[in-house]
Amino acid sequence: MFVLILGVIFGLGIAYFATQNTTPVTIHFANYMLEQVPLYLVIVGSLFAGLLIAWILYVARCVSSRVAIYEKDTAVRRARQTAADLEQRVRELEAENERLKRAHISLAERSPHAAP
């Protein structure tokens, strides 16, 4: 509802502006020429062209941000997977270390060179 009210107010402002600026002007585009164009159309057209350019730049920035976020998310996912893999490897090495310690102790106990 707020947008509708804002649109009506904006439309009334443009209508008032148009009634005050009806002077015809000539517009030149390179080799082309438009004659007898009301001044308010030139001004409102410039406004909308600026809004369109701003919207295009905004969309480009949003897409760029989303791509950057996606890349960061992928990097975080890879880092988490690497951390999980490394934790698993640490557990495996700790288990192997314990097994080797037990094997070394049992070997030392069976050794004939052990002191009586």
Side-chain angles (χ1 to χ4, degrees):
M1 189 66 168
F2 176 73
V3 174
L4 179 65
I5 292 171
L6 191 63
V8 168
I9 291 171
F10 185 70
L12 288 172
I14 288 178
Y16 179 74
F17 180 78
T19 59
Q20 300 297 316
N21 295 289
T22 57
T23 307
V25 294
T26 302
I27 302 173
H28 298 275
F29 292 113
N31 293 331
Y32 302 101
M33 186 170 58
L34 296 172
E35 295 180 4
Q36 302 296 317
V37 178
L39 180 61
Y40 74 90
L41 286 181
V42 173
I43 295 171
V44 172
S46 299
L47 171 72
F48 284 124
L51 288 174
L52 177 66
I53 291 169
W55 179 77
I56 290 170
L57 293 174
Y58 171 77
V59 168
R61 191 173 117 214
C62 286
V63 168
S64 174
S65 295
R66 296 227 184 226
V67 167
I69 289 171
Y70 177 77
E71 290 173 355
K72 298 286 184 190
D73 286 345
T74 302
V76 167
R77 240 181 273 118
R78 273 193 229 122
R80 285 184 180 157
Q81 184 61 44
T82 301
D85 292 344
L86 290 173
E87 287 175 3
Q88 178 64 29
R89 181 68 179 142
V90 165
R91 284 192 291 275
E92 291 170 359
L93 289 173
E94 286 173 345
E96 184 178 350
N97 192 19
E98 282 299 316
R99 184 182 59 77
L100 290 173
K101 280 182 185 178
R102 277 187 257 120
H104 180 69
I105 290 172
S106 69
L107 188 63
E109 289 173 351
R110 287 191 251 166
S111 174
H113 301 293

